Amino acid sequence: MFVVFASENCWLFNRISAILTDMEKKVIKKIQEAVGQANLLTDVEDRSCYSYDASSQNFMPDAVALPETKEQVAALLCLAEEYGFPVIPRGAGSGTTGGALPVQGGLVIGFSRMKRILEIDPDNMIAVVEPGVVTGELQAALKKYGLMYPPDPASLKFCSIGGNAGECAGGPSAVKYGVTRDYIIGLEVVLPGGKIMRTGVRTEKGVVGYDLTRLFIGSEGTLAVFTQLILRLLPLAETKVTFLLSFSSLAQATRLVAEILAAGLMPCTLEYMDKTAVQVVRDQITWQPPEKTAALLLVEFDGDQAEVAQQAQKFADFVWQKKNCTLRQAADEAEIKELWQARCSIAPACLHLRPHKIAEDVVVPRSSIPKLVQFTEQLAQELNLIILTFGHAGDGNIHVNIMVDKQNQEEYNNGCKAKEQLFERVLALGGTLSGEHGVGITKSSFLAQELDATALSVMKQLKKLFDPHNILNPGKIFPAH
Amino acid sequence: MFVVFASENCWLFNRISAILTDMEKKVIKKIQEAVGQANLLTDVEDRSCYSYDASSQNFMPDAVALPETKEQVAALLCLAEEYGFPVIPRGAGSGTTGGALPVQGGLVIGFSRMKRILEIDPDNMIAVVEPGVVTGELQAALKKYGLMYPPDPASLKFCSIGGNAGECAGGPSAVKYGVTRDYIIGLEVVLPGGKIMRTGVRTEKGVVGYDLTRLFIGSEGTLAVFTQLILRLLPLAETKVTFLLSFSSLAQATRLVAEILAAGLMPCTLEYMDKTAVQVVRDQITWQPPEKTAALLLVEFDGDQAEVAQQAQKFADFVWQKKNCTLRQAADEAEIKELWQARCSIAPACLHLRPHKIAEDVVVPRSSIPKLVQFTEQLAQELNLIILTFGHAGDGNIHVNIMVDKQNQEEYNNGCKAKEQLFERVLALGGTLSGEHGVGITKSSFLAQELDATALSVMKQLKKLFDPHNILNPGKIFPAH
């Protein structure tokens, strides 16, 4: 089992159901004692549910623990250090870069039994939660108190706060409200070896000692395991107005993004879809964008009634002066849903074009969006590929989906080539390879292209400081060589 | 010189003008070669300007370098490692916790010759600056582009961005806009030993690798020396409205703070002054608060004309319903200045009461402000002291000034006792010992009271990882024993 093979980087499918050595039996028994028999999964059927995530890759864990307390998590990390097996913390498996996959086998720790909202403090606009809390469920619970936790990843109906924190997830609202990092002010974590530690504060400000909280946010489960998170909240926005803008010119749409923000307008959504994305969703939606649509922008403003009315008017006037698009305003909740349909249908619909996608969440300075999109169009033509671009234009975070059929070797190779050229171009434009999905395993071989050699070396030393035996989520972020 | 004594924790006043050993002469010559003769200060008169900061403490540096380039900074850190002398990065010396003081002698690096605004990119709302840029001067430069960099420490007319980043400075606007950490997205730093490294991004989002940028922000110059900072900016708020609220009950004032925010009102200033602070400034201001004033709140809203008008109306209605204070709205710029006079006069005026102050910037959860203020009143009575409380009530960051005459030993001892009891109470209320000033030397002996022992040990290990020879700003943050 993992005791023997952990360092050999191999995938031990179904090994537990085969004959175990005495040593392996002993470790399994210890893990069972640590979390209780009911919280340990070793059957292949159970384990297989934890073998994949949204990256479409598959690695079987040797066992899965579902601890109920921080003490159980600590006991597991203590055992992992003693017996040298990998531990892979897992949120809800909605990550797209393989962050939660047991690429070297080992023990997956799931948090579906640590999903309590421990505290909602409306006076101080603070919540304390366990890592397994589903982001959307937290948002619903907060609504009753007139509060909101803004980060809204597309997977919010099933992703967890712990996973969001591990990857520093974003979402459409980031353009106005920022990302996960901006809302986590304190943590309780378990370190490799099993020590429990508290970081940060439960106040709006705090500068005592080094900022361990933000060092852990976005560290993709490689430095520490979260067992509690302290969140800062905002008053719930009273209402929202939704606009859809259709353009017959892609360049006009992408240019408008920077102009909207420069004009001091502060939308809480500023999403973009290119022509291919629009075509792909035509069959999935109950309304039809104008025939010659080259790009769509979905723009929303939130706040109290008066504020939203005023922003909406200002925005409509602003767009009107541009005279380069058609503007549609949603009249009610039903119409808002209808307009969002287009944006939300892209992910499932694009798989009608090709069975697989290479999906990247690159970021460029907003003013370079037109250049980036133009480049992907060129790439598609040169390499004979279908490439969609859409996403969070407001913060320059463009989702690029390169559609391929993996059975078609030439197409797949071209897809990989396109990804490489895309990354090169993004970096040349002053951008970054990931805005919200992290590095995981799918981007680790490109890390050195973005990071300065010294920074990469410092990060490796940090990993070694926290996790000297490379037990916590090994094989992630850093390239193997 | 420092070569010999650096590790002995002694202060070498005036040592350079005395007889130097051959070794010391050699080091001085090397430093001179590194930065150029014109950029090295060794005369006692020059050095003494760098021996103090706003903490009222005094430690003489052995020499002061004023580098002009990152390469010169790198050369200095390389020499420091080779010859084992302390290096103390210094912004404008406006810090109140002694962060910029050469407590073990050594070489102070000042940044007054690295103060260029390298780039303002209005399309992407990004600026790239050198660390010596004065915060207020940057804000003025950005205004011309219709942009703003929100953090506004009280010292913004002379403090520098580099120092702000080192301490993670805040200011009145933090209640709406956040602190320095929220606006620095990338850095260029020199590490102990002299390696130059880039961190972060120049885009709105970015999650590639560990968040070194935010690890360095607030690290008080103990991990790396900043040579360039990439800042995210916001569109300049078009206008502002200023209110002054006078209360005859302290409890009513402090309670209103949490109520204002819970009501979804989002002021950009929510400052508070207690009765003693009001009394102290009466002679300094051109208007007079109502006679029985027990507390003042200064409240501002910013944004575009329509938004501000609407927020102001909503706020006035809200306050009117409370019926527990008198409300005054500034009619014009002159009146805004007049109202701010009160808040800005506290610091100089309070020294009329006693020649010295023990000034702390503690933070508590907003709902605990009444308890904290009540506690300081009790402390004042019990220990026969004058204690003022004022500051950033909106984020629970209360400045507590304990006034003492250091010549009066009993009073000074009582002041120190009050500080200890205050810190205990703040932590018991779920607060933190510093919201924006950092730990430096004045709070280091209290660090272990706030931080978990494991966190403290991890921070010490981080310091050792980055600075194994303890060359960079030694004696700061961590208690000596």
Side-chain angles (χ1 to χ4, degrees):
Chain A
M1 203 200 47
F2 32 71
V3 184
V4 186
F5 294 109
S7 60
E8 293 181 18
N9 199 11
C10 63
W11 165 43
L12 304 163
F13 182 84
N14 210 8
R15 187 122 163 74
I16 289 217
S17 63
I19 298 154
L20 298 174
T21 65
D22 285 350
M23 186 60 180
E24 287 165 356
K25 282 182 198 157
K26 184 181 161 189
V27 175
I28 284 289
K29 194 158 168 274
K30 292 246 178 195
I31 294 176
Q32 224 169 51
E33 283 166 12
V35 291
Q37 197 169 348
N39 292 336
L40 182 67
L41 311 177
T42 53
D43 288 351
V44 66
E45 295 79 6
D46 291 334
R47 285 185 288 132
S48 68
C49 299
Y50 294 83
S51 69
Y52 60 88
D53 68 1
S55 72
S56 316
Q57 302 207 36
N58 206 296
F59 297 87
M60 193 65 142
D62 292 292
V64 177
L66 302 171
E68 296 176 55
T69 65
K70 65 182 172 196
E71 288 79 11
Q72 290 180 353
V73 176
L76 292 173
L77 267 83
C78 184
L79 285 174
E81 182 134 301
E82 191 177 348
Y83 295 100
F85 59 84
V87 165
I88 301 90
R90 180 183 171 95
S94 59
T96 62
T97 55
L101 297 182
V103 292
Q104 299 180 15
L107 178 73
V108 163
I109 302 187
F111 287 92
S112 52
R113 293 174 190 177
M114 285 181 75
K115 55 181 297 181
R116 284 176 301 167
I117 297 174
L118 299 169
E119 188 186 340
I120 294 175
D121 174 351
D123 286 343
N124 296 302
M125 294 192 240
I126 295 285
V128 183
V129 302
E130 289 184 328
V133 171
V134 171
T135 309
E137 288 176 13
L138 172 70
Q139 290 177 340
L142 291 171
K143 214 170 177 176
K144 295 176 201 151
Y145 293 85
L147 293 169
M148 69 174 174
Y149 169 76
D152 54 352
S155 54
L156 67 84
K157 282 189 186 151
F158 49 95
C159 68
S160 70
I161 293 283
N164 293 172
E167 301 295 327
C168 190
S173 79
V175 61
K176 177 171 179 180
Y177 292 110
V179 295
T180 301
R181 169 200 303 132
D182 302 308
Y183 293 90
I184 300 190
I185 56 175
L187 292 170
E188 178 190 78
V189 304
V190 179
L191 296 173
K195 277 200 178 159
I196 298 170
M197 176 172 91
R198 300 196 71 95
T199 73
V201 289
R202 48 175 297 146
T203 48
E204 275 290 303
K205 280 175 172 172
V207 293
V208 170
Y210 299 144
D211 192 345
L212 299 180
T213 307
R214 287 169 191 86
L215 177 62
F216 291 147
I217 303 299
S219 66
E220 309 196 28
T222 64
L223 298 180
V225 180
F226 305 146
T227 52
Q228 219 180 81
L229 303 100
I230 307 178
L231 314 176
R232 62 181 281 262
L233 310 170
L234 294 182
L236 184 66
E238 209 175 282
T239 188
K240 196 161 77 170
V241 62
T242 304
F243 292 99
L244 190 90
L245 286 69
S246 314
F247 296 80
S248 56
S249 149
L250 175 74
Q252 284 173 349
T254 50
R255 257 203 305 272
L256 196 71
V257 169
E259 288 171 359
I260 289 171
L261 295 161
L265 288 155
M266 189 41 84
C268 63
T269 302
L270 184 34
E271 294 287 300
Y272 143 86
M273 291 170 65
D274 77 353
K275 192 167 146 182
T276 318
V278 175
Q279 276 163 356
V280 120
V281 300
R282 278 194 186 268
D283 294 344
Q284 316 289 318
I285 56 180
T286 48
W287 54 281
Q288 284 304 311
E291 202 154 321
K292 285 188 178 168
T293 299
L296 291 178
L297 289 183
L298 190 65
V299 184
E300 297 188 307
F301 296 91
D302 69 354
D304 66 25
Q305 298 286 355
E307 189 187 346
V308 167
Q310 183 253 325
Q311 286 260 309
Q313 189 55 53
K314 190 172 167 184
F315 178 68
D317 292 348
F318 174 82
V319 171
W320 178 253
Q321 280 165 18
K322 298 281 164 191
K323 297 189 199 307
N324 60 11
C325 64
T326 62
L327 180 74
R328 180 177 162 198
Q329 181 176 347
D332 52 30
E333 276 296 320
E335 258 196 79
I336 291 179
K337 263 198 185 151
E338 207 175 278
L339 298 186
W340 269 97
Q341 244 184 2
R343 172 68 180 85
C344 296
S345 304
I346 303 174
C350 69
L351 295 174
H352 294 299
L353 297 172
R354 287 291 186 279
H356 309 108
K357 60 179 172 184
I358 300 171
E360 302 302 338
D361 74 314
V362 297
V363 194
V364 292
R366 275 187 297 259
S367 66
S368 297
I369 297 177
K371 281 181 201 155
L372 179 77
V373 173
Q374 200 185 4
F375 181 76
T376 62
E377 286 181 345
Q378 264 172 38
L379 265 186
Q381 210 164 22
E382 277 169 31
L383 295 166
N384 197 24
L385 292 164
I386 300 172
I387 304 181
L388 287 70
T389 60
F390 60 97
H392 319 312
D395 39 42
N397 188 188
I398 301 296
H399 293 280
V400 180
N401 280 10
I402 305 165
M403 305 310 303
V404 292
D405 179 352
K406 283 188 181 174
Q407 305 302 322
N408 178 340
Q409 195 60 45
E410 194 195 335
E411 189 170 79
Y412 182 64
N413 290 347
N414 279 345
C416 295
K417 218 180 281 174
K419 171 176 164 170
E420 279 172 32
Q421 291 185 29
L422 170 71
F423 281 1
E424 246 175 60
R425 184 72 178 147
V426 163
L427 294 175
L429 288 170
T432 174
L433 302 186
S434 178
E436 51 186 20
H437 295 170
V439 176
I441 51 175
T442 64
K443 293 186 184 182
S444 59
S445 62
F446 298 92
L447 200 64
Q449 282 181 32
E450 174 162 345
L451 298 180
D452 164 318
T454 306
L456 187 52
S457 154
V458 165
M459 289 180 194
K460 283 182 180 169
Q461 289 174 58
L462 281 171
K463 168 68 176 168
K464 206 162 183 180
L465 177 69
F466 282 94
D467 184 18
H469 307 299
N470 196 24
I471 274 165
L472 201 51
N473 213 2
K476 305 299 164 65
I477 301 182
F478 301 105
H481 304 289
Chain B
M1 204 200 47
F2 32 71
V3 184
V4 186
F5 295 110
S7 60
E8 295 180 17
N9 198 12
C10 63
W11 167 44
L12 305 163
F13 183 86
N14 210 8
R15 187 120 163 71
I16 290 216
S17 62
I19 297 155
L20 297 174
T21 65
D22 284 351
M23 185 60 179
E24 288 165 356
K25 281 184 200 155
K26 183 180 161 191
V27 176
I28 284 289
K29 197 160 167 274
K30 291 246 177 195
I31 293 176
Q32 224 168 52
E33 283 166 14
V35 292
Q37 196 169 349
N39 292 335
L40 182 67
L41 312 177
T42 54
D43 287 351
V44 66
E45 295 78 7
D46 291 334
R47 286 185 288 132
S48 69
C49 299
Y50 294 83
S51 69
Y52 60 88
D53 67 2
S55 72
S56 315
Q57 302 206 37
N58 206 297
F59 297 86
M60 193 67 143
D62 292 292
V64 177
L66 302 172
E68 296 177 53
T69 66
K70 64 184 173 195
E71 289 79 13
Q72 289 180 353
V73 177
L76 292 173
L77 268 83
C78 183
L79 285 174
E81 182 135 303
E82 191 178 347
Y83 295 100
F85 59 84
V87 165
I88 301 90
R90 179 183 173 96
S94 60
T96 63
T97 56
L101 298 182
V103 293
Q104 299 180 15
L107 178 72
V108 162
I109 303 188
F111 288 92
S112 51
R113 292 175 191 178
M114 285 180 75
K115 54 182 296 179
R116 285 175 302 167
I117 297 174
L118 299 169
E119 188 186 339
I120 295 175
D121 175 351
D123 286 345
N124 295 302
M125 294 193 239
I126 296 285
V128 183
V129 302
E130 288 184 328
V133 171
V134 171
T135 309
E137 288 175 13
L138 173 70
Q139 290 177 340
L142 292 172
K143 215 171 176 175
K144 294 176 202 151
Y145 294 85
L147 293 170
M148 69 173 173
Y149 169 76
D152 54 352
S155 53
L156 65 83
K157 282 188 186 153
F158 49 95
C159 68
S160 70
I161 293 283
N164 293 173
E167 302 295 327
C168 190
S173 80
V175 62
K176 176 171 179 179
Y177 292 110
V179 294
T180 302
R181 169 199 303 132
D182 302 309
Y183 293 90
I184 299 190
I185 56 175
L187 292 169
E188 177 190 78
V189 304
V190 179
L191 296 174
K195 277 200 177 160
I196 298 170
M197 176 172 91
R198 299 197 71 94
T199 74
V201 288
R202 48 176 297 147
T203 49
E204 276 289 303
K205 281 176 172 172
V207 293
V208 170
Y210 301 144
D211 192 345
L212 299 180
T213 307
R214 287 167 191 87
L215 178 62
F216 291 147
I217 303 299
S219 67
E220 308 194 28
T222 64
L223 298 180
V225 180
F226 306 146
T227 50
Q228 219 179 80
L229 304 100
I230 307 178
L231 314 175
R232 61 182 282 263
L233 310 170
L234 294 182
L236 184 66
E238 208 174 285
T239 188
K240 196 161 77 170
V241 62
T242 304
F243 293 99
L244 190 90
L245 286 70
S246 315
F247 296 81
S248 56
S249 149
L250 174 75
Q252 285 173 349
T254 50
R255 257 203 306 274
L256 197 72
V257 170
E259 288 172 0
I260 288 171
L261 295 161
L265 289 156
M266 188 43 81
C268 64
T269 301
L270 184 34
E271 294 287 301
Y272 143 86
M273 290 171 65
D274 78 353
K275 192 167 146 183
T276 318
V278 175
Q279 275 163 357
V280 122
V281 299
R282 277 193 186 270
D283 293 344
Q284 316 289 317
I285 57 181
T286 49
W287 55 280
Q288 284 303 311
E291 202 155 322
K292 285 187 177 168
T293 299
L296 292 178
L297 289 183
L298 189 66
V299 185
E300 297 187 307
F301 296 91
D302 69 354
D304 66 25
Q305 299 286 356
E307 189 187 347
V308 167
Q310 182 255 323
Q311 286 259 310
Q313 189 56 54
K314 191 172 167 185
F315 178 68
D317 292 348
F318 174 82
V319 171
W320 178 253
Q321 279 164 20
K322 298 280 165 191
K323 297 188 199 307
N324 60 10
C325 64
T326 61
L327 180 73
R328 181 178 160 196
Q329 181 176 347
D332 51 31
E333 276 296 321
E335 258 196 78
I336 292 179
K337 264 198 185 151
E338 206 175 278
L339 297 186
W340 268 98
Q341 243 185 2
R343 171 68 180 84
C344 296
S345 304
I346 302 174
C350 70
L351 295 174
H352 294 301
L353 298 171
R354 287 291 185 280
H356 309 108
K357 61 180 171 182
I358 301 170
E360 302 302 337
D361 74 314
V362 296
V363 193
V364 291
R366 274 187 298 258
S367 66
S368 296
I369 296 176
K371 281 182 202 154
L372 180 77
V373 173
Q374 200 184 6
F375 180 76
T376 61
E377 286 182 344
Q378 263 172 39
L379 266 185
Q381 209 164 24
E382 277 169 32
L383 295 166
N384 197 26
L385 293 165
I386 301 171
I387 304 182
L388 288 69
T389 60
F390 60 97
H392 319 311
D395 39 41
N397 189 187
I398 301 296
H399 292 279
V400 180
N401 280 10
I402 305 166
M403 305 310 302
V404 291
D405 179 351
K406 283 188 182 173
Q407 306 303 322
N408 177 340
Q409 195 60 44
E410 194 194 335
E411 189 170 80
Y412 182 64
N413 288 347
N414 279 345
C416 294
K417 218 180 281 176
K419 171 175 165 170
E420 279 173 33
Q421 291 184 30
L422 170 72
F423 281 1
E424 246 175 61
R425 184 72 178 150
V426 163
L427 295 175
L429 289 170
T432 174
L433 302 186
S434 178
E436 51 186 21
H437 295 169
V439 175
I441 50 175
T442 64
K443 293 186 185 183
S444 59
S445 62
F446 299 92
L447 200 65
Q449 282 181 33
E450 173 162 345
L451 297 181
D452 164 318
T454 306
L456 188 51
S457 153
V458 165
M459 288 179 194
K460 283 181 180 170
Q461 289 173 58
L462 281 170
K463 169 67 177 167
K464 206 162 184 180
L465 177 70
F466 281 93
D467 185 18
H469 307 299
N470 196 26
I471 273 166
L472 201 49
N473 213 1
K476 304 298 165 64
I477 301 183
F478 302 106
H481 302 290

